[in-house]
Amino acid sequence: MTTSRSVTLLDYGMCNMLNVARAFERAGADLKVTDDPRDAAVADRLVVPGVGAFADSMVEVTRRGHGDAIRAFAETGRPLFGICVGMQILFEGSEEFGDSPGLGVIAGRVMAVPAQTTAGVPQRVPHIGWNELLIPPSRNTWDGTIMQSHVSKAPAVYFVHSFVPHPADPRDRLADFDYGGHRLCAAIKRDNITATQFHPERSGDVGLALLGSFIGS
């Protein structure tokens, strides 16, 4: 655990950086925003945000030299946080607009949010709105994670997405949510890596608290 509150926010041109930066600053981060992949090597904590299409994000990550930097940082043991598409690109690939390769930091693939409920009723895609987070069947508790202080509060967070990751190892699932009876992955946690499909910067006090927990990790 690092004793500083230093956070490096990686800008690869696929995110509203102002909203994310403001949220981290409100949560107490000593923030540095950078588009230089070399800054990742010396970061105490690295944040990979993102919005939009998976393939477009991977094009920019690769073109700007961030892919190897993110992979290398993941191996350092220092805290890494992904948000939305910044979470998705950590996986091996996505089915969005065909078969697009990801960074391969986490085993698994990104697949479409189901367009029907489990009862066969059409449901809205993209999924937009607030959902309560659930402890996955593979976990008994959120102790020792950024979710730890919110177990009893059934925290609700804000989603905007058409695709969702499916970790190959269920133990990588940190939180789930229910959409039309489908239990989908809302967040992952493996070793030093935490990432959320939802937007903590748009999730009010709960989102700020989760960012604060990451900053203190």
PDB file of all heavy atoms in Angstrom, residues 11 26-27 57 86 101 114 137-138 147 153 177 194:
ATOM      1  N   ASP A  11      -5.008   9.569 -20.376  1.00  0.00           N
ATOM      2  CA  ASP A  11      -5.845  10.171 -21.416  1.00  0.00           C
ATOM      3  C   ASP A  11      -5.419   9.614 -22.770  1.00  0.00           C
ATOM      4  O   ASP A  11      -4.329   9.896 -23.258  1.00  0.00           O
ATOM      5  CB  ASP A  11      -5.678  11.697 -21.394  1.00  0.00           C
ATOM      6  CG  ASP A  11      -6.558  12.406 -22.415  1.00  0.00           C
ATOM      7  OD1 ASP A  11      -7.351  11.727 -23.102  1.00  0.00           O
ATOM      8  OD2 ASP A  11      -6.448  13.642 -22.512  1.00  0.00           O
ATOM      9  N   ARG A  26     -12.390  15.387  -6.101  1.00  0.00           N
ATOM     10  CA  ARG A  26     -13.365  15.486  -5.011  1.00  0.00           C
ATOM     11  C   ARG A  26     -13.188  14.348  -4.012  1.00  0.00           C
ATOM     12  O   ARG A  26     -13.450  14.517  -2.816  1.00  0.00           O
ATOM     13  CB  ARG A  26     -14.789  15.469  -5.559  1.00  0.00           C
ATOM     14  CG  ARG A  26     -15.220  16.748  -6.253  1.00  0.00           C
ATOM     15  CD  ARG A  26     -16.670  16.668  -6.657  1.00  0.00           C
ATOM     16  NE  ARG A  26     -17.543  16.540  -5.493  1.00  0.00           N
ATOM     17  CZ  ARG A  26     -18.813  16.188  -5.555  1.00  0.00           C
ATOM     18  NH1 ARG A  26     -19.364  15.907  -6.729  1.00  0.00           N
ATOM     19  NH2 ARG A  26     -19.538  16.110  -4.462  1.00  0.00           N
ATOM     20  N   ALA A  27     -12.746  13.196  -4.508  1.00  0.00           N
ATOM     21  CA  ALA A  27     -12.527  12.052  -3.625  1.00  0.00           C
ATOM     22  C   ALA A  27     -11.210  12.153  -2.861  1.00  0.00           C
ATOM     23  O   ALA A  27     -10.922  11.288  -2.016  1.00  0.00           O
ATOM     24  CB  ALA A  27     -12.558  10.753  -4.433  1.00  0.00           C
ATOM     25  N   SER A  57     -11.429   2.368 -29.086  1.00  0.00           N
ATOM     26  CA  SER A  57     -10.569   2.612 -27.923  1.00  0.00           C
ATOM     27  C   SER A  57      -9.254   1.866 -28.058  1.00  0.00           C
ATOM     28  O   SER A  57      -8.188   2.418 -27.762  1.00  0.00           O
ATOM     29  CB  SER A  57     -11.296   2.197 -26.640  1.00  0.00           C
ATOM     30  OG  SER A  57     -12.423   3.014 -26.413  1.00  0.00           O
ATOM     31  N   GLY A  86     -12.678   1.468 -20.337  1.00  0.00           N
ATOM     32  CA  GLY A  86     -11.362   1.258 -19.732  1.00  0.00           C
ATOM     33  C   GLY A  86     -11.273  -0.034 -18.965  1.00  0.00           C
ATOM     34  O   GLY A  86     -10.183  -0.581 -18.774  1.00  0.00           O
ATOM     35  N   PRO A 101      -9.574  -7.655 -30.582  1.00  0.00           N
ATOM     36  CA  PRO A 101      -8.696  -8.062 -29.489  1.00  0.00           C
ATOM     37  C   PRO A 101      -8.522  -6.963 -28.459  1.00  0.00           C
ATOM     38  O   PRO A 101      -8.523  -5.776 -28.785  1.00  0.00           O
ATOM     39  CB  PRO A 101      -7.368  -8.374 -30.193  1.00  0.00           C
ATOM     40  CG  PRO A 101      -7.400  -7.514 -31.420  1.00  0.00           C
ATOM     41  CD  PRO A 101      -8.839  -7.438 -31.846  1.00  0.00           C
ATOM     42  N   PRO A 114     -27.858  -8.425 -22.939  1.00  0.00           N
ATOM     43  CA  PRO A 114     -29.009  -9.130 -23.515  1.00  0.00           C
ATOM     44  C   PRO A 114     -30.135  -8.176 -23.895  1.00  0.00           C
ATOM     45  O   PRO A 114     -30.507  -7.292 -23.120  1.00  0.00           O
ATOM     46  CB  PRO A 114     -29.435 -10.080 -22.393  1.00  0.00           C
ATOM     47  CG  PRO A 114     -28.197 -10.283 -21.574  1.00  0.00           C
ATOM     48  CD  PRO A 114     -27.468  -8.974 -21.622  1.00  0.00           C
ATOM     49  N   PRO A 137     -21.950 -14.763  -6.642  1.00  0.00           N
ATOM     50  CA  PRO A 137     -21.958 -16.070  -5.980  1.00  0.00           C
ATOM     51  C   PRO A 137     -20.561 -16.583  -5.634  1.00  0.00           C
ATOM     52  O   PRO A 137     -20.408 -17.379  -4.697  1.00  0.00           O
ATOM     53  CB  PRO A 137     -22.633 -16.980  -7.016  1.00  0.00           C
ATOM     54  CG  PRO A 137     -23.462 -16.057  -7.846  1.00  0.00           C
ATOM     55  CD  PRO A 137     -22.694 -14.775  -7.909  1.00  0.00           C
ATOM     56  N   SER A 138     -19.548 -16.123  -6.371  1.00  0.00           N
ATOM     57  CA  SER A 138     -18.178 -16.585  -6.127  1.00  0.00           C
ATOM     58  C   SER A 138     -17.536 -15.919  -4.919  1.00  0.00           C
ATOM     59  O   SER A 138     -16.435 -16.294  -4.515  1.00  0.00           O
ATOM     60  CB  SER A 138     -17.313 -16.310  -7.360  1.00  0.00           C
ATOM     61  OG  SER A 138     -17.340 -14.932  -7.696  1.00  0.00           O
ATOM     62  N   MET A 147     -15.289  -2.063  -2.225  1.00  0.00           N
ATOM     63  CA  MET A 147     -16.711  -2.147  -1.900  1.00  0.00           C
ATOM     64  C   MET A 147     -16.958  -2.378  -0.415  1.00  0.00           C
ATOM     65  O   MET A 147     -18.106  -2.378   0.025  1.00  0.00           O
ATOM     66  CB  MET A 147     -17.352  -3.309  -2.672  1.00  0.00           C
ATOM     67  CG  MET A 147     -17.360  -3.143  -4.169  1.00  0.00           C
ATOM     68  SD  MET A 147     -18.360  -1.722  -4.670  1.00  0.00           S
ATOM     69  CE  MET A 147     -19.921  -2.144  -3.917  1.00  0.00           C
ATOM     70  N   LYS A 153     -25.352  -1.395   2.421  1.00  0.00           N
ATOM     71  CA  LYS A 153     -26.114  -0.279   1.890  1.00  0.00           C
ATOM     72  C   LYS A 153     -26.775  -0.580   0.547  1.00  0.00           C
ATOM     73  O   LYS A 153     -27.503   0.261   0.019  1.00  0.00           O
ATOM     74  CB  LYS A 153     -25.200   0.939   1.740  1.00  0.00           C
ATOM     75  CG  LYS A 153     -24.600   1.419   3.049  1.00  0.00           C
ATOM     76  CD  LYS A 153     -23.705   2.629   2.825  1.00  0.00           C
ATOM     77  CE  LYS A 153     -23.050   3.082   4.125  1.00  0.00           C
ATOM     78  NZ  LYS A 153     -22.158   4.236   3.913  1.00  0.00           N
ATOM     79  N   PHE A 177     -24.835  -7.026 -11.200  1.00  0.00           N
ATOM     80  CA  PHE A 177     -26.099  -6.308 -11.161  1.00  0.00           C
ATOM     81  C   PHE A 177     -27.116  -7.107 -11.951  1.00  0.00           C
ATOM     82  O   PHE A 177     -26.763  -7.973 -12.764  1.00  0.00           O
ATOM     83  CB  PHE A 177     -25.966  -4.882 -11.712  1.00  0.00           C
ATOM     84  CG  PHE A 177     -25.735  -4.809 -13.201  1.00  0.00           C
ATOM     85  CD1 PHE A 177     -26.766  -4.465 -14.059  1.00  0.00           C
ATOM     86  CD2 PHE A 177     -24.481  -5.055 -13.747  1.00  0.00           C
ATOM     87  CE1 PHE A 177     -26.559  -4.390 -15.429  1.00  0.00           C
ATOM     88  CE2 PHE A 177     -24.267  -4.977 -15.111  1.00  0.00           C
ATOM     89  CZ  PHE A 177     -25.307  -4.638 -15.955  1.00  0.00           C
ATOM     90  N   THR A 194      -8.599  -3.423 -10.175  1.00  0.00           N
ATOM     91  CA  THR A 194     -10.024  -3.230  -9.926  1.00  0.00           C
ATOM     92  C   THR A 194     -10.586  -2.457 -11.109  1.00  0.00           C
ATOM     93  O   THR A 194      -9.922  -1.576 -11.645  1.00  0.00           O
ATOM     94  CB  THR A 194     -10.265  -2.424  -8.634  1.00  0.00           C
ATOM     95  OG1 THR A 194      -9.631  -3.079  -7.536  1.00  0.00           O
ATOM     96  CG2 THR A 194     -11.756  -2.295  -8.343  1.00  0.00           C
TER      97      THR A 194
END
